Amino acid sequence: MRNSFCQAMLARAAQTPQLFFLTGDLGFMALEPLRDALGERFVNVGVSEQSMIALAAGIRRNGGESWAYSIAPFCYARPFEQIRNDVCLNGLPVRLVGNGGGYAYGPMGGTHHAIEDYGVLLTLSGLRVYVPAFGADVAPMVAAMGAREEPGYLRLGRSEVSDESALPAYQRWRCLLEGAAGLVVVAGPLAGKLWNAWQARDRADRPALWVLGDWSADDQELPAALCQAIAAAPALAVVEEHVAQGGLAAWLLYRLALAGVACPPLHHACARGYPSGRYGSQAFHRRECGLEADTILEALRAAAGLPASALAGPAAQSVAV
Amino acid sequence: MDPALATPAHHSPLTDGHSVDLNLSADTELQLIARRARRRLLRMHFERKVGHIGGNLSCLDALLALHHRILRPEDSFVLSKGHSAGALYITLWSLGLLADADLETFHAEGTLLAGHPVPGWHPRIPVATGSLGHGFPVATGMAFARARCGQEGRVFCLTSDGEWQEGSMWESLIFAAHQRLPNLTVMVDLNGLQGFGSTREVASMEDLGQRLAAFGIPVLHVDGHDHLAVTAALRRPGSAILVLHTTKGAGVSFMENRMEWHYLPLNAEQYAQALDELSEDAVAAALAAGGGR
Ligand SMILES: Cc1ncc(C[n+]2csc(CCOP(=O)(O)OP(=O)(O)O)c2C)c(N)n1
Ligand SMILES: [Mg+2]
């Protein structure tokens, strides 16, 4: 998604004369075209993320459009107070971009993971998070972030779908698959993993798959079609590469409750830190947390009171929450 | 006391099976160890297709000097530039504190030898690092507590030059100087390169040594690839800042001073060439000529 991001920024920069792009010493072998296009308005501020965010706020205060980029944890965790005070408290629409959401940095270890990013940021009123599921989502998200006069955080990952042509174009809420065996709401590239695994299955034998792309603490409304589908589903699973606290499940269930939608039995597949105390690829950490298509499918069936599917092997037994 | 800091349970893989002349000066012995450590470091990164090699090679000599010649059981070390975890693992291997089988798990599924040090499994890795600008402040806290509780032992810390762009580094330096800590030695791997440019182009701190010296803690400039010089500087009692003048990618000609080797893994051809440059013959020739590394 880094290359899609660079292309999308180039398009935005072409129509935005006052666009400043700040990076915290990241982007080698990816952002050079943007650097060349922006000239002096592309700044590597060095390894200093706290001042990077404050600088971005200052640039915005002065009328410029500012984007700040780093590896995800160094973009939201290190400079949290700068985001809270300098950006959000001042109501300045600064755009933050974190590369490597969830466990994407895999064997680099816990310091490089971003498994509580949007939960933390959504405690700040007025800030909207954008979590692309596919490469093609990045360009419309960059355009939307730029068009909305509010702070935004873009969580980049790696698209899991090799040919995205069969997927619907970006919208906040998309139904990727119809299905009768429960309903799954997912955010981020895991959507592609689930789509790859389930799209060829019979409709009767697979869950419906919905993906959410951007949201904020201030959004209250859910699409009527989603509410109806959830109310009618035998079970609901929320899937995210993010810890439970502050996650998508809590955000969604709160809004379902407010809307008076009766929720079916729930399975929450989410990041659980480092259960074994060991490290590995993104796939390793997902496996440790039950963030795999088969595990989720079986948990959903169990939550719905259905017998385990033919797929279920020993690895696919999981606990519903 | 750290058990792993005591005499290793098994012999060092560097002396096992190799005839090391016990009459060699300490410097020459470390040069030999360093050549073999470089080869092992490259092999580990090649086999696992992992990058960050440049910054590992720039600090390896200093880590070897520190761990082989200086660290006592009551001392501690914090790798603030956590992305050089590979150099630390190789150093521990060279002491017999990690085995070949451990190195084979580097970056593998279910590993403890992650790309940045993870906590809780090795006494020479007291804290997780990898986010720049954390290790030095934590090391300062460790030194402060030791000093105030009358505990023995010094605290050593290795930082990178790009890392000094983080405000937290200077905040801790203010603290360490103000508290007149007697037991903290911080090394700066001054290789002149960072993640997306040279430190001079990105956010110059020149002359970093002078800027650091302004805080009142003694600053020593050392060739970071000269084991004897690094050892001598580390031996100096009291707190100090060692500015290590280093080359990113040191020891592998095509990596030296090239930014892409912050990121790239080695391909087979490059690996073969690097090994050639670090072959036993090349070692012998360099030692005979009195060369470093
Ligand atoms: C807080 C933080 N920001 C960014 C990074 C990503 N990063 C890893 S190494 C590096 C810079 C490398 O240059 P330097 O710090 O001088 O290290 P060395 O040259 O010794 O490899 C950066 C930006 C990080 N690890 N931590
Ligand atoms: Mg450097």
Side-chain angles (χ1 to χ4, degrees):
Chain A
M1 289 181 185
R2 264 196 337 169
N3 291 333
S4 317
F5 172 67
C6 186
Q7 291 309 313
M9 285 309 302
L10 279 170
R12 178 138 193 99
Q15 341 147 352
T16 317
Q18 287 236 39
L19 190 150
F20 286 78
F21 190 91
L22 311 184
T23 171
D25 203 26
L26 270 305
F28 182 61
M29 294 192 285
L31 299 183
E32 285 81 356
L34 188 60
R35 180 186 64 188
D36 297 343
L38 286 174
E40 286 193 329
R41 284 179 289 110
F42 182 102
V43 197
N44 181 358
V45 301
V47 197
S48 40
E49 297 79 9
Q50 292 173 300
S51 64
M52 174 169 75
I53 303 301
L55 289 165
I59 289 168
R60 178 66 224 191
R61 177 84 281 172
N62 205 62
E65 175 171 313
S66 53
W67 295 71
Y69 175 86
S70 189
I71 297 176
F74 314 138
C75 183
Y76 74 88
R78 184 56 158 280
F80 180 70
E81 197 181 14
Q82 278 77 10
I83 301 173
R84 190 186 77 134
N85 296 3
D86 306 338
V87 174
C88 292
L89 196 58
N90 287 321
L92 294 171
V94 169
R95 282 78 178 192
L96 315 171
V97 184
N99 189 39
Y103 294 112
Y105 271 81
M108 290 298 180
T111 54
H112 281 53
H113 297 157
I115 54 175
E116 68 295 275
D117 53 350
Y118 54 72
V120 165
L121 290 173
L122 286 170
T123 60
L124 303 175
S125 158
L127 187 147
R128 175 171 297 274
V129 299
Y130 297 78
V131 184
F134 311 109
D137 295 353
V138 175
M141 280 188 178
V142 164
M145 280 175 87
R148 287 194 178 111
E149 283 294 298
E150 62 188 16
Y153 167 72
L154 175 64
R155 181 203 229 210
L156 296 175
R158 216 169 292 126
S159 175
E160 316 258 355
V161 178
S162 47
D163 176 8
E164 294 186 0
S165 59
L167 294 163
Y170 181 69
Q171 290 170 51
R172 277 192 69 211
W173 282 103
R174 272 173 292 182
C175 176
L176 299 181
L177 293 173
E178 304 277 359
L183 188 147
V184 173
V185 173
V186 60
L190 274 169
K193 266 263 175 296
L194 303 183
W195 188 81
N196 288 335
W198 296 341
Q199 47 127 349
R201 292 173 76 96
D202 284 345
R203 217 183 128 125
D205 207 25
R206 71 181 185 203
L209 182 60
W210 287 70
V211 56
L212 176 61
D214 68 86
W215 66 105
S216 84
D218 305 321
D219 291 348
Q220 300 302 341
E221 302 283 301
L222 296 172
L226 174 70
C227 292
Q228 281 157 17
I230 288 176
L236 171 67
V238 179
V239 178
E240 54 185 328
E241 208 160 314
H242 186 283
V243 295
Q245 192 66 38
L248 176 56
W251 182 91
L252 177 67
L253 292 174
Y254 180 73
R255 279 149 188 83
L256 286 171
L258 286 183
V261 177
C263 200
L266 174 74
H267 173 70
H268 188 197
C270 61
R272 295 175 190 280
Y274 308 96
S276 67
R278 290 179 174 267
Y279 297 82
S281 66
Q282 183 173 32
F284 171 86
H285 290 290
R286 284 177 174 175
R287 201 177 314 125
E288 283 218 315
C289 301
L291 283 166
E292 289 186 304
D294 291 355
T295 315
I296 291 162
L297 192 65
E298 293 312 320
L300 194 58
R301 293 182 70 89
L306 297 167
S309 81
L311 256 183
Q317 306 297 328
S318 98
V319 248
V321 287
Chain B
M1 187 182 292
D2 291 343
L5 290 171
T7 314
H10 49 290
H11 291 291
S12 159
L14 291 167
T15 48
D16 257 4
H18 297 292
S19 55
V20 172
D21 182 354
L22 295 176
N23 294 324
L24 292 178
S25 73
D27 178 61
T28 317
E29 187 191 328
L30 260 191
Q31 284 181 21
L32 256 171
I33 290 173
R35 289 277 176 158
R36 292 185 182 137
R38 275 195 161 66
R39 291 168 64 87
R40 192 64 186 86
L41 183 133
L42 292 172
R43 183 181 137 199
M44 181 174 84
H45 284 77
F46 171 67
E47 286 177 350
R48 304 296 315 162
K49 298 186 172 60
V50 174
H52 277 158
I53 302 173
N56 276 287
L57 290 173
S58 69
C59 67
L60 182 62
D61 295 297
L63 285 181
L64 290 168
L66 172 69
H67 286 260
H68 278 265
R69 297 287 182 253
I70 301 291
L71 276 188
R72 300 161 301 162
E74 61 271 28
D75 298 332
S76 291
F77 169 68
V78 176
L79 181 73
S80 198
K81 51 170 296 198
H83 60 283
S84 290
L88 179 58
Y89 303 149
I90 291 296
T91 299
L92 298 179
W93 167 84
S94 75
L95 286 161
L97 298 176
L98 285 180
D100 266 307
D102 296 320
L103 297 188
E104 273 148 33
T105 70
F106 180 55
H107 263 250
E109 299 298 60
T111 192
L112 293 169
L113 277 70
H116 299 82
V118 299
W121 66 282
H122 201 288
R124 290 215 187 178
I125 302 179
V127 288
T129 51
S131 178
L132 294 167
H134 285 253
F136 174 56
V138 174
T140 306
M142 291 165 68
F144 176 67
R146 272 171 209 226
R148 293 299 175 266
C149 300
Q151 289 167 359
E152 295 266 304
R154 301 168 62 189
V155 178
F156 296 88
C157 177
L158 176 68
T159 66
S160 57
D161 49 2
E163 188 174 14
W164 283 91
Q165 290 158 353
E166 291 284 4
S168 58
M169 302 294 279
W170 300 93
E171 294 172 20
S172 294
L173 190 60
I174 291 167
F175 178 88
H178 182 77
Q179 299 290 340
R180 301 185 189 283
L181 297 185
N183 53 358
L184 177 64
T185 299
V186 55
M187 295 180 277
V188 185
D189 184 352
L190 193 80
N191 59 28
L193 285 177
Q194 53 185 101
F196 199 2
S198 68
T199 45
R200 180 177 291 173
E201 293 159 353
V202 170
S204 176
M205 296 169 283
E206 285 179 12
D207 174 327
L208 183 59
Q210 265 178 26
R211 295 184 192 214
L212 294 167
F215 287 76
I217 297 174
V219 172
L220 304 165
H221 288 266
V222 191
D223 173 349
H225 302 300
D226 179 336
H227 306 112
L228 260 189
V230 174
T231 307
L234 288 170
R235 278 229 167 89
R236 203 187 159 283
S239 287
I241 301 170
L242 269 55
V243 176
L244 305 175
H245 294 260
T246 58
T247 302
K248 203 153 174 172
V252 180
S253 61
F254 59 88
M255 290 187 186
E256 291 191 351
N257 294 314
R258 298 198 60 97
M259 193 167 53
E260 60 268 34
W261 289 102
H262 185 75
Y263 300 95
L264 293 179
L266 284 159
N267 66 31
E269 205 178 307
Q270 291 160 336
Y271 178 55
Q273 186 188 334
L275 282 193
D276 243 22
E277 293 182 14
L278 296 165
S279 70
E280 294 298 317
D281 289 349
V283 178
L287 290 182
R293 284 182 226 135

